[in-house]
Amino acid sequence: MKFMMTLLATAIVFALAVPVQAKTKIVVTYPYIAALVGEIAKGQAEVTTLAKGDEDPHFVVPRPSFIGKLRQADLLIINGGSLEIGFVPPLIRQANNPKIMPGAEGFVDLSQSVDLIEKPDKVSRSEGDIHPEGNPHFILDWHNVPPVARAIADALGRADRGGAGAYQKNLEGFLARWKAQSDAWDKKASPLKGKAIIQYHRLFDYFALRTGMKIVGELEPKPGIPPTSRHLEELIETNTAGTVYMVVTDAYHEKKSPEGVAQKLSVPWAVLPQDVGAIAAAKDIFSLYDTLLASVLK
Amino acid sequence: MFSFALTTALLLAQPLDSPSESPAAADVPTPASSTTAPEVKPAPSYDDLVRRIEALEKAEAARAAPPPTRSTAGVFTQNRFNPDLSIIADFAVVGTSINDKTAQTLAVPGFIDQSDRTGKLRGIDFNYLELAFNVAVDPYFDFFSVVTIAPGTADVVDVEETYVDTRQLPFGFQLRIGKFLSAFGRLNGMHQHVWDFYDQPLVYEAFMGTEGFKNPGLRVSWTAPVDFLLQLNFEVFQGVSDESQTYNAVGYSLTAANGTTLSSAAPFVPGLYVGSLKSSFDSGDHVFLVGASAMYGHSTQSYGSPTDMVFSAPGTILYDGELTYKYLISSYRSLTWQSEYVGRVSSGDLALASDGSVHHESKKQGGFYTQLIWRFDDPGRWRVGERFDLLTQNSVTIDGVTQSSLTINGVGQPLTNMLQRYTTMLEFSPTEFSRFRLQYDFDRSRDLDGVRKNIHEVLLQMNIAVGPHGAHSF
């Protein structure tokens, strides 16, 4: 009993001694969100990123230490579209932080600020790991960055009203720089129009839509289901006409299948970054799209 | 609790309907109408064009059609407020070196009486069907419930857990009210389908019961505002449970052979208190989780069938130390080493039916398990694991005299202290929703009428979890 009482007393003492926070504490799920927060907050926020760039965004290990970080957060910014469904809900529950509960002002779902494609008419797990809200990898279209950046600036402004003006100013500066880059990428992407690619997972659909590339197949027979030799053979057979331009994959899946299929089709294959930090060259939000385009413009 | 896989999609789904998020979205240009890329816009794809044509056709058809008669049939339909429901089913094919009748009557002397033993049955077993509900009650509470149906001669419906958690308490506090699994130790709070092996470690089976300690109660938990995990839990339970191997705060009444009735008054309830502390920190890809727990309450244990003796011990303490180390090798591969020590200290009255006498008995017991789990392939569908169980301490004194054996219904059971079991498993999960597990165990912890048995068991288990996406385990 004494032990229990000591525990309880310690808890109360600690709870009352919560220090006043100077900087806005922000937890984000993926590195690209951290990069955008960095552009807008410019050091006025303390950012914690849960996933690493070279991790499978669907399978982030919910480390218990994340609970402590969420417990103190003023803002939680997620990608949304069920991408975090496997690791964020239990962390939120454990963190007991009303500020970042879904529905609270401090819970920001970025997928709400863009239009998702490939929203399935009916959902069944027999179709593999599908997302009822649509394809969640929207950030790979650079035209989706401005609305997402605006949503982040608004959220920062709500969490730190005193800094709202500065955040809007930083946002405008960022958007101006982005506009210049975005125009350049649009021009750069024009030779890709109509080119057919095979991808590992339905990861680069937004990138393909923006560049005008056509996706003719996935190495995965169904989303989240690893490639089978029969499916790969079928994929090779249906694409032997020399129409495929490239096989693309991501940093975290095995490389044997993409390499094998590319060899059989006598086309190049490339590892594309799906997030900041996925590969060394994609070190910030700008170089992410530079690298994406450079990887397919060969 | 980190791997409480029943946690589901609704938490994330809610903000989709939240009006507070929409203003940001409303004034944002979509890619199609973007002002940021006026010059070079890639030509729409063929599929895109087909979609647009279809949309236009639909719009035109809608204009041409007479206005639809308004149906009020669905006005009060509230399906979208229904809880998330997960369904979990578990099957196994079991082969053991002992027959079913013997399996049910094995004892772990000093720990598990032979009348309490529930062994695995040979053949094809339908272990359980579990229904898990989860929903936000209102802005203030979350609701969880797990109902298990264990098939058998009579299907047994068991409300495993039903509780509400607060959502809005400040300073990192959370309150839980209902019937729930205690946060004691690393495994007690985990449901069966997230265990790393088919069965619980020996120390859990010996002290907690085969499914962990659950009871009506109240929990206050607090998470510290630090960058690592520091969590304290304090629980009060009713303390009356015939499923627990230790705690059951009931009085006893035993009629001895000579006609004397031995009895005790019912202890005060609620009478079970649990305190636990958990902490976790990482260093790069190395994650550490440590914890300490203690449980305090009234123990009532009866031995023999028909009951030959009753041990009634107020102030029985269970204590636990846990250590988990996980190395995250890649996005999919990992190595986890997990160990836990559980001890029990109890002393009280030992009432004997044979001669109607009451003695003072005191026990000091304990044991540990240590296990290694390796998730070894890309994309993380295979796991292999090894567990070693050992009961290390089994000291019993009656009226100050150390006992070397217990005599129950005339049969002597030696009080051995090195009782061990070795378990190996190989697991394949085609997706996160289905899992096959092959397990072999060599069990040297059980006695049949005072004789130590060597038991070999092989089983193939299938587990499915359908419905909302569960959480990944740590």
Side-chain angles (χ1 to χ4, degrees), chain A residues 116-148:
Chain A
L116 299 194
I117 59 169
E118 297 164 12
K119 192 174 155 53
D121 290 334
K122 60 178 174 84
V123 293
S124 164
R125 298 260 190 240
S126 64
E127 292 307 308
D129 189 14
I130 55 162
H131 299 263
E133 302 88 344
N135 189 318
H137 307 290
F138 55 81
I139 205 62
L140 297 183
D141 173 1
W142 55 88
H143 285 263
N144 278 339
V145 168
V148 163

PDB file of all heavy atoms in Angstrom, chain A residues 116-148:
ATOM      1  N   LEU A 116      -8.358  13.402 -52.978  1.00  0.00           N
ATOM      2  CA  LEU A 116      -7.728  12.097 -53.132  1.00  0.00           C
ATOM      3  C   LEU A 116      -8.290  11.399 -54.373  1.00  0.00           C
ATOM      4  O   LEU A 116      -9.459  11.527 -54.688  1.00  0.00           O
ATOM      5  CB  LEU A 116      -7.964  11.227 -51.891  1.00  0.00           C
ATOM      6  CG  LEU A 116      -7.418  11.747 -50.570  1.00  0.00           C
ATOM      7  CD1 LEU A 116      -7.427  10.645 -49.522  1.00  0.00           C
ATOM      8  CD2 LEU A 116      -6.007  12.304 -50.705  1.00  0.00           C
ATOM      9  N   ILE A 117      -7.405  10.659 -55.055  1.00  0.00           N
ATOM     10  CA  ILE A 117      -7.835   9.898 -56.224  1.00  0.00           C
ATOM     11  C   ILE A 117      -8.007   8.426 -55.837  1.00  0.00           C
ATOM     12  O   ILE A 117      -7.618   8.015 -54.746  1.00  0.00           O
ATOM     13  CB  ILE A 117      -6.828  10.034 -57.395  1.00  0.00           C
ATOM     14  CG1 ILE A 117      -5.440   9.530 -56.977  1.00  0.00           C
ATOM     15  CG2 ILE A 117      -6.760  11.479 -57.859  1.00  0.00           C
ATOM     16  CD1 ILE A 117      -4.457   9.380 -58.110  1.00  0.00           C
ATOM     17  N   GLU A 118      -8.577   7.663 -56.750  1.00  0.00           N
ATOM     18  CA  GLU A 118      -8.732   6.202 -56.587  1.00  0.00           C
ATOM     19  C   GLU A 118      -9.550   5.834 -55.351  1.00  0.00           C
ATOM     20  O   GLU A 118      -9.259   4.863 -54.667  1.00  0.00           O
ATOM     21  CB  GLU A 118      -7.362   5.504 -56.516  1.00  0.00           C
ATOM     22  CG  GLU A 118      -6.546   5.659 -57.773  1.00  0.00           C
ATOM     23  CD  GLU A 118      -5.076   5.314 -57.595  1.00  0.00           C
ATOM     24  OE1 GLU A 118      -4.719   4.733 -56.557  1.00  0.00           O
ATOM     25  OE2 GLU A 118      -4.298   5.636 -58.508  1.00  0.00           O
ATOM     26  N   LYS A 119     -10.572   6.607 -55.077  1.00  0.00           N
ATOM     27  CA  LYS A 119     -11.465   6.261 -53.965  1.00  0.00           C
ATOM     28  C   LYS A 119     -12.279   5.046 -54.389  1.00  0.00           C
ATOM     29  O   LYS A 119     -13.007   5.109 -55.372  1.00  0.00           O
ATOM     30  CB  LYS A 119     -12.381   7.448 -53.672  1.00  0.00           C
ATOM     31  CG  LYS A 119     -13.156   7.332 -52.386  1.00  0.00           C
ATOM     32  CD  LYS A 119     -13.911   8.641 -52.147  1.00  0.00           C
ATOM     33  CE  LYS A 119     -15.141   8.477 -51.289  1.00  0.00           C
ATOM     34  NZ  LYS A 119     -15.028   7.829 -50.017  1.00  0.00           N
ATOM     35  N   PRO A 120     -12.142   3.912 -53.677  1.00  0.00           N
ATOM     36  CA  PRO A 120     -12.831   2.700 -54.132  1.00  0.00           C
ATOM     37  C   PRO A 120     -14.353   2.796 -53.945  1.00  0.00           C
ATOM     38  O   PRO A 120     -14.828   3.398 -52.978  1.00  0.00           O
ATOM     39  CB  PRO A 120     -12.246   1.595 -53.239  1.00  0.00           C
ATOM     40  CG  PRO A 120     -11.710   2.300 -52.052  1.00  0.00           C
ATOM     41  CD  PRO A 120     -11.349   3.692 -52.469  1.00  0.00           C
ATOM     42  N   ASP A 121     -15.094   2.206 -54.899  1.00  0.00           N
ATOM     43  CA  ASP A 121     -16.566   2.214 -54.800  1.00  0.00           C
ATOM     44  C   ASP A 121     -17.020   1.325 -53.659  1.00  0.00           C
ATOM     45  O   ASP A 121     -17.909   1.651 -52.899  1.00  0.00           O
ATOM     46  CB  ASP A 121     -17.194   1.707 -56.106  1.00  0.00           C
ATOM     47  CG  ASP A 121     -16.984   2.718 -57.222  1.00  0.00           C
ATOM     48  OD1 ASP A 121     -16.836   3.914 -56.893  1.00  0.00           O
ATOM     49  OD2 ASP A 121     -16.953   2.312 -58.396  1.00  0.00           O
ATOM     50  N   LYS A 122     -16.398   0.150 -53.567  1.00  0.00           N
ATOM     51  CA  LYS A 122     -16.720  -0.714 -52.429  1.00  0.00           C
ATOM     52  C   LYS A 122     -15.402  -1.174 -51.817  1.00  0.00           C
ATOM     53  O   LYS A 122     -14.386  -1.278 -52.517  1.00  0.00           O
ATOM     54  CB  LYS A 122     -17.583  -1.895 -52.846  1.00  0.00           C
ATOM     55  CG  LYS A 122     -16.964  -2.802 -53.881  1.00  0.00           C
ATOM     56  CD  LYS A 122     -17.905  -3.954 -54.149  1.00  0.00           C
ATOM     57  CE  LYS A 122     -17.464  -4.843 -55.246  1.00  0.00           C
ATOM     58  NZ  LYS A 122     -16.636  -5.843 -55.263  1.00  0.00           N
ATOM     59  N   VAL A 123     -15.437  -1.416 -50.524  1.00  0.00           N
ATOM     60  CA  VAL A 123     -14.195  -1.824 -49.872  1.00  0.00           C
ATOM     61  C   VAL A 123     -14.307  -3.239 -49.342  1.00  0.00           C
ATOM     62  O   VAL A 123     -15.312  -3.623 -48.750  1.00  0.00           O
ATOM     63  CB  VAL A 123     -13.794  -0.861 -48.728  1.00  0.00           C
ATOM     64  CG1 VAL A 123     -13.420   0.490 -49.271  1.00  0.00           C
ATOM     65  CG2 VAL A 123     -14.892  -0.738 -47.700  1.00  0.00           C
ATOM     66  N   SER A 124     -13.283  -4.028 -49.599  1.00  0.00           N
ATOM     67  CA  SER A 124     -13.208  -5.382 -49.065  1.00  0.00           C
ATOM     68  C   SER A 124     -11.749  -5.714 -48.881  1.00  0.00           C
ATOM     69  O   SER A 124     -10.910  -5.361 -49.702  1.00  0.00           O
ATOM     70  CB  SER A 124     -13.846  -6.365 -50.037  1.00  0.00           C
ATOM     71  OG  SER A 124     -13.455  -7.683 -49.692  1.00  0.00           O
ATOM     72  N   ARG A 125     -11.437  -6.420 -47.787  1.00  0.00           N
ATOM     73  CA  ARG A 125     -10.047  -6.794 -47.530  1.00  0.00           C
ATOM     74  C   ARG A 125      -9.566  -7.831 -48.550  1.00  0.00           C
ATOM     75  O   ARG A 125      -8.372  -8.096 -48.624  1.00  0.00           O
ATOM     76  CB  ARG A 125      -9.903  -7.377 -46.126  1.00  0.00           C
ATOM     77  CG  ARG A 125     -10.262  -6.390 -45.043  1.00  0.00           C
ATOM     78  CD  ARG A 125      -9.050  -5.752 -44.407  1.00  0.00           C
ATOM     79  NE  ARG A 125      -9.451  -5.007 -43.236  1.00  0.00           N
ATOM     80  CZ  ARG A 125      -9.272  -3.710 -43.084  1.00  0.00           C
ATOM     81  NH1 ARG A 125      -8.675  -3.009 -44.019  1.00  0.00           N
ATOM     82  NH2 ARG A 125      -9.677  -3.095 -41.999  1.00  0.00           N
ATOM     83  N   SER A 126     -10.508  -8.427 -49.299  1.00  0.00           N
ATOM     84  CA  SER A 126     -10.074  -9.365 -50.332  1.00  0.00           C
ATOM     85  C   SER A 126      -9.330  -8.613 -51.435  1.00  0.00           C
ATOM     86  O   SER A 126      -8.672  -9.221 -52.257  1.00  0.00           O
ATOM     87  CB  SER A 126     -11.271 -10.117 -50.900  1.00  0.00           C
ATOM     88  OG  SER A 126     -12.135  -9.228 -51.554  1.00  0.00           O
ATOM     89  N   GLU A 127      -9.429  -7.304 -51.449  1.00  0.00           N
ATOM     90  CA  GLU A 127      -8.691  -6.490 -52.423  1.00  0.00           C
ATOM     91  C   GLU A 127      -7.345  -6.043 -51.870  1.00  0.00           C
ATOM     92  O   GLU A 127      -6.695  -5.164 -52.433  1.00  0.00           O
ATOM     93  CB  GLU A 127      -9.536  -5.268 -52.816  1.00  0.00           C
ATOM     94  CG  GLU A 127     -10.787  -5.613 -53.610  1.00  0.00           C
ATOM     95  CD  GLU A 127     -10.465  -6.468 -54.831  1.00  0.00           C
ATOM     96  OE1 GLU A 127      -9.581  -6.071 -55.625  1.00  0.00           O
ATOM     97  OE2 GLU A 127     -11.071  -7.541 -54.978  1.00  0.00           O
ATOM     98  N   GLY A 128      -6.920  -6.611 -50.755  1.00  0.00           N
ATOM     99  CA  GLY A 128      -5.639  -6.238 -50.164  1.00  0.00           C
ATOM    100  C   GLY A 128      -5.787  -5.035 -49.248  1.00  0.00           C
ATOM    101  O   GLY A 128      -6.891  -4.727 -48.790  1.00  0.00           O
ATOM    102  N   ASP A 129      -4.678  -4.359 -49.026  1.00  0.00           N
ATOM    103  CA  ASP A 129      -4.647  -3.255 -48.075  1.00  0.00           C
ATOM    104  C   ASP A 129      -5.101  -1.968 -48.763  1.00  0.00           C
ATOM    105  O   ASP A 129      -4.292  -1.136 -49.145  1.00  0.00           O
ATOM    106  CB  ASP A 129      -3.213  -3.119 -47.537  1.00  0.00           C
ATOM    107  CG  ASP A 129      -3.139  -2.132 -46.390  1.00  0.00           C
ATOM    108  OD1 ASP A 129      -4.206  -1.767 -45.853  1.00  0.00           O
ATOM    109  OD2 ASP A 129      -2.029  -1.717 -46.053  1.00  0.00           O
ATOM    110  N   ILE A 130      -6.402  -1.829 -48.948  1.00  0.00           N
ATOM    111  CA  ILE A 130      -6.882  -0.636 -49.641  1.00  0.00           C
ATOM    112  C   ILE A 130      -7.310   0.424 -48.634  1.00  0.00           C
ATOM    113  O   ILE A 130      -7.611   0.130 -47.480  1.00  0.00           O
ATOM    114  CB  ILE A 130      -8.052  -0.958 -50.589  1.00  0.00           C
ATOM    115  CG1 ILE A 130      -9.173  -1.666 -49.827  1.00  0.00           C
ATOM    116  CG2 ILE A 130      -7.588  -1.781 -51.766  1.00  0.00           C
ATOM    117  CD1 ILE A 130     -10.475  -1.633 -50.541  1.00  0.00           C
ATOM    118  N   HIS A 131      -7.311   1.653 -49.100  1.00  0.00           N
ATOM    119  CA  HIS A 131      -7.687   2.777 -48.243  1.00  0.00           C
ATOM    120  C   HIS A 131      -9.049   3.297 -48.691  1.00  0.00           C
ATOM    121  O   HIS A 131      -9.167   3.766 -49.819  1.00  0.00           O
ATOM    122  CB  HIS A 131      -6.651   3.886 -48.338  1.00  0.00           C
ATOM    123  CG  HIS A 131      -5.284   3.462 -47.896  1.00  0.00           C
ATOM    124  ND1 HIS A 131      -4.802   3.699 -46.637  1.00  0.00           N
ATOM    125  CD2 HIS A 131      -4.303   2.797 -48.546  1.00  0.00           C
ATOM    126  CE1 HIS A 131      -3.580   3.212 -46.520  1.00  0.00           C
ATOM    127  NE2 HIS A 131      -3.251   2.658 -47.663  1.00  0.00           N
ATOM    128  N   PRO A 132     -10.065   3.217 -47.827  1.00  0.00           N
ATOM    129  CA  PRO A 132     -11.410   3.642 -48.232  1.00  0.00           C
ATOM    130  C   PRO A 132     -11.470   5.106 -48.656  1.00  0.00           C
ATOM    131  O   PRO A 132     -12.315   5.486 -49.469  1.00  0.00           O
ATOM    132  CB  PRO A 132     -12.253   3.434 -46.967  1.00  0.00           C
ATOM    133  CG  PRO A 132     -11.435   2.608 -46.053  1.00  0.00           C
ATOM    134  CD  PRO A 132     -10.006   2.756 -46.450  1.00  0.00           C
ATOM    135  N   GLU A 133     -10.568   5.931 -48.135  1.00  0.00           N
ATOM    136  CA  GLU A 133     -10.607   7.367 -48.433  1.00  0.00           C
ATOM    137  C   GLU A 133      -9.988   7.693 -49.783  1.00  0.00           C
ATOM    138  O   GLU A 133     -10.076   8.810 -50.256  1.00  0.00           O
ATOM    139  CB  GLU A 133      -9.836   8.159 -47.367  1.00  0.00           C
ATOM    140  CG  GLU A 133     -10.336   7.985 -45.945  1.00  0.00           C
ATOM    141  CD  GLU A 133      -9.686   6.804 -45.233  1.00  0.00           C
ATOM    142  OE1 GLU A 133      -9.082   5.933 -45.921  1.00  0.00           O
ATOM    143  OE2 GLU A 133      -9.791   6.735 -44.002  1.00  0.00           O
ATOM    144  N   GLY A 134      -9.307   6.716 -50.400  1.00  0.00           N
ATOM    145  CA  GLY A 134      -8.585   6.965 -51.639  1.00  0.00           C
ATOM    146  C   GLY A 134      -7.099   6.766 -51.409  1.00  0.00           C
ATOM    147  O   GLY A 134      -6.656   6.455 -50.312  1.00  0.00           O
ATOM    148  N   ASN A 135      -6.318   6.962 -52.474  1.00  0.00           N
ATOM    149  CA  ASN A 135      -4.872   6.788 -52.389  1.00  0.00           C
ATOM    150  C   ASN A 135      -4.249   7.882 -51.501  1.00  0.00           C
ATOM    151  O   ASN A 135      -4.429   9.068 -51.766  1.00  0.00           O
ATOM    152  CB  ASN A 135      -4.286   6.844 -53.802  1.00  0.00           C
ATOM    153  CG  ASN A 135      -2.824   6.465 -53.855  1.00  0.00           C
ATOM    154  OD1 ASN A 135      -2.045   6.871 -52.985  1.00  0.00           O
ATOM    155  ND2 ASN A 135      -2.448   5.702 -54.858  1.00  0.00           N
ATOM    156  N   PRO A 136      -3.551   7.509 -50.434  1.00  0.00           N
ATOM    157  CA  PRO A 136      -3.063   8.518 -49.484  1.00  0.00           C
ATOM    158  C   PRO A 136      -1.715   9.157 -49.841  1.00  0.00           C
ATOM    159  O   PRO A 136      -1.243  10.015 -49.102  1.00  0.00           O
ATOM    160  CB  PRO A 136      -2.929   7.720 -48.186  1.00  0.00           C
ATOM    161  CG  PRO A 136      -2.612   6.330 -48.629  1.00  0.00           C
ATOM    162  CD  PRO A 136      -3.251   6.130 -49.988  1.00  0.00           C
ATOM    163  N   HIS A 137      -1.097   8.750 -50.971  1.00  0.00           N
ATOM    164  CA  HIS A 137       0.251   9.242 -51.270  1.00  0.00           C
ATOM    165  C   HIS A 137       0.210  10.535 -52.114  1.00  0.00           C
ATOM    166  O   HIS A 137       0.951  10.675 -53.089  1.00  0.00           O
ATOM    167  CB  HIS A 137       1.053   8.137 -51.951  1.00  0.00           C
ATOM    168  CG  HIS A 137       1.044   6.843 -51.183  1.00  0.00           C
ATOM    169  ND1 HIS A 137       1.708   6.689 -49.987  1.00  0.00           N
ATOM    170  CD2 HIS A 137       0.410   5.658 -51.405  1.00  0.00           C
ATOM    171  CE1 HIS A 137       1.500   5.460 -49.514  1.00  0.00           C
ATOM    172  NE2 HIS A 137       0.706   4.821 -50.356  1.00  0.00           N
ATOM    173  N   PHE A 138      -0.677  11.443 -51.709  1.00  0.00           N
ATOM    174  CA  PHE A 138      -0.941  12.653 -52.495  1.00  0.00           C
ATOM    175  C   PHE A 138       0.232  13.622 -52.557  1.00  0.00           C
ATOM    176  O   PHE A 138       0.311  14.446 -53.453  1.00  0.00           O
ATOM    177  CB  PHE A 138      -2.181  13.376 -51.938  1.00  0.00           C
ATOM    178  CG  PHE A 138      -2.076  13.700 -50.473  1.00  0.00           C
ATOM    179  CD1 PHE A 138      -1.376  14.814 -50.048  1.00  0.00           C
ATOM    180  CD2 PHE A 138      -2.687  12.891 -49.519  1.00  0.00           C
ATOM    181  CE1 PHE A 138      -1.264  15.109 -48.701  1.00  0.00           C
ATOM    182  CE2 PHE A 138      -2.584  13.180 -48.163  1.00  0.00           C
ATOM    183  CZ  PHE A 138      -1.867  14.296 -47.758  1.00  0.00           C
ATOM    184  N   ILE A 139       1.153  13.524 -51.618  1.00  0.00           N
ATOM    185  CA  ILE A 139       2.214  14.525 -51.528  1.00  0.00           C
ATOM    186  C   ILE A 139       3.184  14.402 -52.705  1.00  0.00           C
ATOM    187  O   ILE A 139       3.947  15.337 -52.979  1.00  0.00           O
ATOM    188  CB  ILE A 139       2.940  14.459 -50.158  1.00  0.00           C
ATOM    189  CG1 ILE A 139       3.579  15.821 -49.820  1.00  0.00           C
ATOM    190  CG2 ILE A 139       3.984  13.352 -50.109  1.00  0.00           C
ATOM    191  CD1 ILE A 139       2.578  16.951 -49.673  1.00  0.00           C
ATOM    192  N   LEU A 140       3.158  13.276 -53.431  1.00  0.00           N
ATOM    193  CA  LEU A 140       4.110  13.102 -54.529  1.00  0.00           C
ATOM    194  C   LEU A 140       3.725  13.903 -55.778  1.00  0.00           C
ATOM    195  O   LEU A 140       4.435  13.866 -56.775  1.00  0.00           O
ATOM    196  CB  LEU A 140       4.304  11.615 -54.826  1.00  0.00           C
ATOM    197  CG  LEU A 140       4.921  10.878 -53.621  1.00  0.00           C
ATOM    198  CD1 LEU A 140       5.185   9.427 -53.927  1.00  0.00           C
ATOM    199  CD2 LEU A 140       6.213  11.553 -53.173  1.00  0.00           C
ATOM    200  N   ASP A 141       2.601  14.629 -55.733  1.00  0.00           N
ATOM    201  CA  ASP A 141       2.289  15.636 -56.749  1.00  0.00           C
ATOM    202  C   ASP A 141       2.668  16.984 -56.138  1.00  0.00           C
ATOM    203  O   ASP A 141       2.094  17.397 -55.131  1.00  0.00           O
ATOM    204  CB  ASP A 141       0.794  15.590 -57.071  1.00  0.00           C
ATOM    205  CG  ASP A 141       0.369  16.728 -57.999  1.00  0.00           C
ATOM    206  OD1 ASP A 141       1.236  17.534 -58.400  1.00  0.00           O
ATOM    207  OD2 ASP A 141      -0.830  16.796 -58.304  1.00  0.00           O
ATOM    208  N   TRP A 142       3.650  17.675 -56.745  1.00  0.00           N
ATOM    209  CA  TRP A 142       4.120  18.929 -56.130  1.00  0.00           C
ATOM    210  C   TRP A 142       3.056  20.015 -56.109  1.00  0.00           C
ATOM    211  O   TRP A 142       3.162  20.969 -55.366  1.00  0.00           O
ATOM    212  CB  TRP A 142       5.411  19.409 -56.796  1.00  0.00           C
ATOM    213  CG  TRP A 142       5.335  19.568 -58.283  1.00  0.00           C
ATOM    214  CD1 TRP A 142       4.932  20.673 -58.965  1.00  0.00           C
ATOM    215  CD2 TRP A 142       5.693  18.591 -59.265  1.00  0.00           C
ATOM    216  NE1 TRP A 142       5.004  20.452 -60.318  1.00  0.00           N
ATOM    217  CE2 TRP A 142       5.472  19.183 -60.535  1.00  0.00           C
ATOM    218  CE3 TRP A 142       6.164  17.280 -59.202  1.00  0.00           C
ATOM    219  CZ2 TRP A 142       5.713  18.513 -61.734  1.00  0.00           C
ATOM    220  CZ3 TRP A 142       6.406  16.605 -60.385  1.00  0.00           C
ATOM    221  CH2 TRP A 142       6.181  17.212 -61.629  1.00  0.00           C
ATOM    222  N   HIS A 143       1.999  19.860 -56.909  1.00  0.00           N
ATOM    223  CA  HIS A 143       0.907  20.835 -56.850  1.00  0.00           C
ATOM    224  C   HIS A 143       0.026  20.633 -55.620  1.00  0.00           C
ATOM    225  O   HIS A 143      -0.823  21.463 -55.325  1.00  0.00           O
ATOM    226  CB  HIS A 143       0.056  20.758 -58.117  1.00  0.00           C
ATOM    227  CG  HIS A 143       0.740  21.382 -59.300  1.00  0.00           C
ATOM    228  ND1 HIS A 143       0.501  22.662 -59.709  1.00  0.00           N
ATOM    229  CD2 HIS A 143       1.693  20.894 -60.127  1.00  0.00           C
ATOM    230  CE1 HIS A 143       1.269  22.948 -60.750  1.00  0.00           C
ATOM    231  NE2 HIS A 143       2.004  21.888 -61.024  1.00  0.00           N
ATOM    232  N   ASN A 144       0.209  19.537 -54.931  1.00  0.00           N
ATOM    233  CA  ASN A 144      -0.524  19.337 -53.677  1.00  0.00           C
ATOM    234  C   ASN A 144       0.210  19.954 -52.483  1.00  0.00           C
ATOM    235  O   ASN A 144      -0.332  19.997 -51.384  1.00  0.00           O
ATOM    236  CB  ASN A 144      -0.752  17.841 -53.421  1.00  0.00           C
ATOM    237  CG  ASN A 144      -1.950  17.314 -54.190  1.00  0.00           C
ATOM    238  OD1 ASN A 144      -2.829  18.083 -54.585  1.00  0.00           O
ATOM    239  ND2 ASN A 144      -1.987  16.007 -54.417  1.00  0.00           N
ATOM    240  N   VAL A 145       1.425  20.405 -52.697  1.00  0.00           N
ATOM    241  CA  VAL A 145       2.194  20.982 -51.584  1.00  0.00           C
ATOM    242  C   VAL A 145       1.606  22.324 -51.104  1.00  0.00           C
ATOM    243  O   VAL A 145       1.435  22.510 -49.898  1.00  0.00           O
ATOM    244  CB  VAL A 145       3.691  21.078 -51.931  1.00  0.00           C
ATOM    245  CG1 VAL A 145       4.448  21.927 -50.918  1.00  0.00           C
ATOM    246  CG2 VAL A 145       4.297  19.682 -52.010  1.00  0.00           C
ATOM    247  N   PRO A 146       1.257  23.276 -52.013  1.00  0.00           N
ATOM    248  CA  PRO A 146       0.720  24.558 -51.517  1.00  0.00           C
ATOM    249  C   PRO A 146      -0.518  24.428 -50.618  1.00  0.00           C
ATOM    250  O   PRO A 146      -0.521  25.009 -49.526  1.00  0.00           O
ATOM    251  CB  PRO A 146       0.429  25.343 -52.799  1.00  0.00           C
ATOM    252  CG  PRO A 146       1.404  24.797 -53.783  1.00  0.00           C
ATOM    253  CD  PRO A 146       1.504  23.334 -53.461  1.00  0.00           C
ATOM    254  N   PRO A 147      -1.561  23.660 -51.025  1.00  0.00           N
ATOM    255  CA  PRO A 147      -2.701  23.552 -50.096  1.00  0.00           C
ATOM    256  C   PRO A 147      -2.316  22.924 -48.756  1.00  0.00           C
ATOM    257  O   PRO A 147      -2.833  23.336 -47.704  1.00  0.00           O
ATOM    258  CB  PRO A 147      -3.706  22.659 -50.835  1.00  0.00           C
ATOM    259  CG  PRO A 147      -2.973  22.030 -51.957  1.00  0.00           C
ATOM    260  CD  PRO A 147      -1.855  22.975 -52.303  1.00  0.00           C
ATOM    261  N   VAL A 148      -1.405  21.963 -48.796  1.00  0.00           N
ATOM    262  CA  VAL A 148      -0.963  21.315 -47.566  1.00  0.00           C
ATOM    263  C   VAL A 148      -0.189  22.312 -46.695  1.00  0.00           C
ATOM    264  O   VAL A 148      -0.388  22.396 -45.480  1.00  0.00           O
ATOM    265  CB  VAL A 148      -0.104  20.067 -47.905  1.00  0.00           C
ATOM    266  CG1 VAL A 148       0.708  19.618 -46.719  1.00  0.00           C
ATOM    267  CG2 VAL A 148      -0.999  18.927 -48.397  1.00  0.00           C
TER     268      VAL A 148
END
